[in-house]
């Protein structure tokens, strides 16, 4: 069973079930055993839903025995869900101890839209994965559960904020899971852990029922060990949802599913990709962006503070990946005119922080527990306020010099065009310009700017705050992106390669990822803690 289920894919599971080699209960028990065996060290799964998972597995087995089973595309597939994503009856910890106070837990009244879709497709939920408080970190420490380690070496960071999901999936505690991404939080952790991370076009997948960090930047998508599984999961998760108005745009714009139809081994042949110049130069885009009222000189200082140099090891890994892309039949163009530093400056003006509290209030109103459906209700019920992080009151984000960002609603803010909609349009135009001018099919770049750091050692003189990326601009314009296994560093830690493309080209993008996967076969599973740590990890 270990031989069959380690690295098992959805199509392989379907075959096992069809030939009656294993029951769903056996497969779920095997994955739960992996969690129990390794979770004490890696701390990937905050809430293990053992009784619920076994009950769901027993129902599916009974349906199969009676011949009444409706076998959806994820039938009998054990999955994990990130702890900011509502599961009916479970605590949506959002990584924060304040949502786990006894008697005042944030118990979800109903499933998030994607959870309902995944269940309807037959998936078995085995747990809620750990994440940093409010998804607001590039590494994976939470006040509600502690630190998650990288499955390739527990000393190292798995990235954040979907670090719990990537560790669970890459360590074979589940077949796949969901991540959420406000600035890099699906893609950067996927890069640390040799898994596939999909950031869909914003509006393809509903975020209703997901506790927001910044609802104008938030997104959700699948994390899996191979592209086929990711494509199957995305096909299930996609679709219009009245609870999430941006998904209305998917009607008539989204490429038709299922997304497995785009997975062809020669999909890279003849394709053209550009390398964003500003990423190679390490130019910064401040998280949440900068308001229009901020003077250029102050904005320039903020952008400089966010600059993240590309490490020599990552540059070398990326250049090797470019050669592999060319060997697969693609053309890769490196030119200073392709998304230059001026692009980062334009993207920096997509300012969203003024609307953070609005997202929190909307979430609590629909997915809060019976005790509280607003920030004021929470403070009254618990005697303490919600965190400034999700109220838009963090000093480092709410004030720049003399410019104070006050909280308001998108619908009623007279400055929303200057601060958000206008800069977003201009950033998308700047993103599309090289694609049109150079007839490119997309962009390719490192998903993170350095290898995962050793969290037993100080990073830049203080407690490690994880690896970092230069990819938050993807969230600001909502274009699709996918991270693939780009290779491994000399010490044994994964390197992640990211592709992005035009809005609503999600199927084609997965095709590129699949062709890369088939040409390289870079992924290998981690050797977990019993056999020791990587001897030569940087």
């Amino acid at each position: 069973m270990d031989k069959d289920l380690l690295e098992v894919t959805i199509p392989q599971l379907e075959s096992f079930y069809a030939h009656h080699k294993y029951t769903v209960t056996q497969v779920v028990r095997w994955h739960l055993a992996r969690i129990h065996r390794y979770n004490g060290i890696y701390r990937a799964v905050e809430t293990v839903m053992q009784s619920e998972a076994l009950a769901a597995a027993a129902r599916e087995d009974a349906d199969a025995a009676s011949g009444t089973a409706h076998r959806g595309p994820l039938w009998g597939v054990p999955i994990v869900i990130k702890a900011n994503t509502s599961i009916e009856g479970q605590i949506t910890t959002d990584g924060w101890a304040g949502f786990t106070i006894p008697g005042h837990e944030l118990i979800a009244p109903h499933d998030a839209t994607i959870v309902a879709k995944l269940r309807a497709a037959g998936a078995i939920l085995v747990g809620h994965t750990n994440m940093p408080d409010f998804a607001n970190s590039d590494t994976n420490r939470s006040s509600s559960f502690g630190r998650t380690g990288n499955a390739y070496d527990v000393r190292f960071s798995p990235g954040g904020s979907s670090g719990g999901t990537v560790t669970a999936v890459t360590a074979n505690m589940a077949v796949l899971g969901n991540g959420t991404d406000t600035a890099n939080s699906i893609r950067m952790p996927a890069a640390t852990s040799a898994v596939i991370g999909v950031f869909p076009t914003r509006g393809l997948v509903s975020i209703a029922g997901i506790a927001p960090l910044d609802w104008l930047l938030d997104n959700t998508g699948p994390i899996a060990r191979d592209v086929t599984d990711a494509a199957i999961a995305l096909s299930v998760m996609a679709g219009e949802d009245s609870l999430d108005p941006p998904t209305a745009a998917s009607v008539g714009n989204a490429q038709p599913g299922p997304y497995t139809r785009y997975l062809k081994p020669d999909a890279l042949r003849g394709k053209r990709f550009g390398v964003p110049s500003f990423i190679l130069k390490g130019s910064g885009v401040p998280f949440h962006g900068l308001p229009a009222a901020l003077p250029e000189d102050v904005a320039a200082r903020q952008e400089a503070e966010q600059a993240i140099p590309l490490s020599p090891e990552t540059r070398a890994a990326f250049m090797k990946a470019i050669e592999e892309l060319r060997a697969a039949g693609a053309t890769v163009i490196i030119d200073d005119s392709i998304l230059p530093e001026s692009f980062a400056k334009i993207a920096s003006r997509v300012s969203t922080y003024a609307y953070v509290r609005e997202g929190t209030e909307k979430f609590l109103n629909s997915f809060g527990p019976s005790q509280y459906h607003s920030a004021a209700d929470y403070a009254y019920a618990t005697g303490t306020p919600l965190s400034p992080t999700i109220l838009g009151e963090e000093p480092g984000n709410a004030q720049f010099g003399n410019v104070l960002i006050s909280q308001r609603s998108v619908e009623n803010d007279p400055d929303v065009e200057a601060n958000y909609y206008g800069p977003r349009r201009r950033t998308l135009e700047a993103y599309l310009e090289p694609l049109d001018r150079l007839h490119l099919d997309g962009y390719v770049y490192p998903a993170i700017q350095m290898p995962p750091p050793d969290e037993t050692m100080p990073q830049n003189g203080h407690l490690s705050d994880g690896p970092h990326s230069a990819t938050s601009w993807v969230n600001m314009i909502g274009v699709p992106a996918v991270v693939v296994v780009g290779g491994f560093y000399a010490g044994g830690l994964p390197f992640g390669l990211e592709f992005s493309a035009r809005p609503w080209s999600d199927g084609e993008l997965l095709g590129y990822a699949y062709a890369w996967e088939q040409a390289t076969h870079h992924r290998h599973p981690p050797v977990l803690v019993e056999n020791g740590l990587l001897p030569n990890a940087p």
Side-chain angles (χ1 to χ4, degrees), residues 27 158 166 206 369:
V27 169
V166 299
S206 172

Side-chain angles (χ1 to χ4, degrees), residues 57-74:
R59 287 193 297 272
E60 291 193 351
D61 285 332
D63 289 344
S66 66
T68 60
H70 169 67
R71 300 204 177 195
L74 295 177

Side-chain angles (χ1 to χ4, degrees), residues 86-105:
S86 301
I87 300 175
E88 182 177 354
Q90 299 293 329
I91 301 172
T92 310
T93 71
D94 204 16
W96 186 49
F99 284 145
T100 68
I101 298 171
H104 303 294
E105 299 94 340

Side-chain angles (χ1 to χ4, degrees), residues 209-438:
I210 297 174
L213 173 56
D214 183 332
W215 65 292
L216 294 179
L217 302 176
D218 294 340
N219 203 355
T220 187
I223 291 170
R225 288 188 295 268
D226 77 359
V227 177
T228 301
D229 285 1
I232 294 169
L234 184 63
S235 301
V236 169
M237 297 166 74
E240 186 179 8
D241 177 18
S242 61
L243 296 177
D244 184 11
T247 59
S250 66
V251 179
N253 286 314
Q255 292 182 320
Y259 292 105
T260 48
R261 70 171 64 185
Y262 303 95
L263 308 187
K264 299 176 182 178
D266 63 349
L268 285 171
R269 188 162 303 280
K271 298 300 185 294
R272 293 167 57 82
F273 298 95
V275 176
S277 174
F278 82 96
I279 290 181
L280 296 186
K281 294 177 179 177
S283 302
V285 177
F287 186 34
H288 305 290
L290 303 169
L294 197 67
E296 282 298 332
D297 60 331
V298 180
R301 287 198 297 272
Q302 293 295 324
E303 291 157 6
E305 289 177 7
Q306 299 297 317
I308 307 169
L310 189 66
S311 74
E313 307 99 312
T314 300
R315 184 181 293 273
F318 178 57
M319 297 310 294
K320 181 178 178 182
I322 286 177
E323 292 308 310
E324 290 178 293
L325 263 177
R326 289 170 173 157
T331 297
V332 182
I333 302 170
I334 301 175
D335 187 279
D336 285 346
S337 73
I338 299 175
L339 299 188
E341 291 178 274
S342 59
F343 173 81
K345 292 183 179 297
I346 297 169
S348 293
R349 290 296 186 165
V350 181
S351 181
T352 59
Y353 196 68
Y355 317 107
V356 163
R357 181 172 184 137
E358 181 180 7
T360 297
E361 297 284 9
K362 287 182 175 180
F363 169 77
L364 290 176
N365 182 59
S366 298
F367 288 89
S370 58
Q371 286 187 16
Y372 47 91
H373 290 284
S374 69
D377 287 350
Y378 177 88
Y380 180 80
T382 66
T384 57
L386 285 175
S387 169
T389 300
I390 55 173
L391 294 179
E393 297 173 355
E394 295 173 294
N397 287 313
Q399 186 160 6
F400 300 98
N402 295 323
V403 177
L404 178 67
I405 300 177
S406 60
Q407 292 299 297
R408 71 269 325 246
S409 71
V410 167
E411 296 81 3
N412 302 317
D413 179 18
D415 298 321
V416 69
E417 173 63 26
N419 284 327
Y420 175 61
Y421 288 121
R424 189 178 189 273
R425 281 196 307 273
R426 290 189 288 276
T427 304
L428 180 57
E429 289 167 0
Y431 174 85
L432 295 173
E433 187 276 332
L435 298 179
D436 295 334
R437 173 168 49 88
L438 298 173

Side-chain angles (χ1 to χ4, degrees), residues 183-184 187-188 276 278-285 306-310 343 445-449 468-474 498:
N184 56 38
R187 296 161 292 135
M188 185 260 280
F278 82 96
I279 290 181
L280 296 186
K281 294 177 179 177
S283 302
V285 177
Q306 299 297 317
I308 307 169
L310 189 66
F343 173 81
Y445 43 92
I448 49 179
Q449 299 291 93
H468 305 293
S469 79
T471 63
S472 62
W473 51 275
V474 171
E498 183 166 338

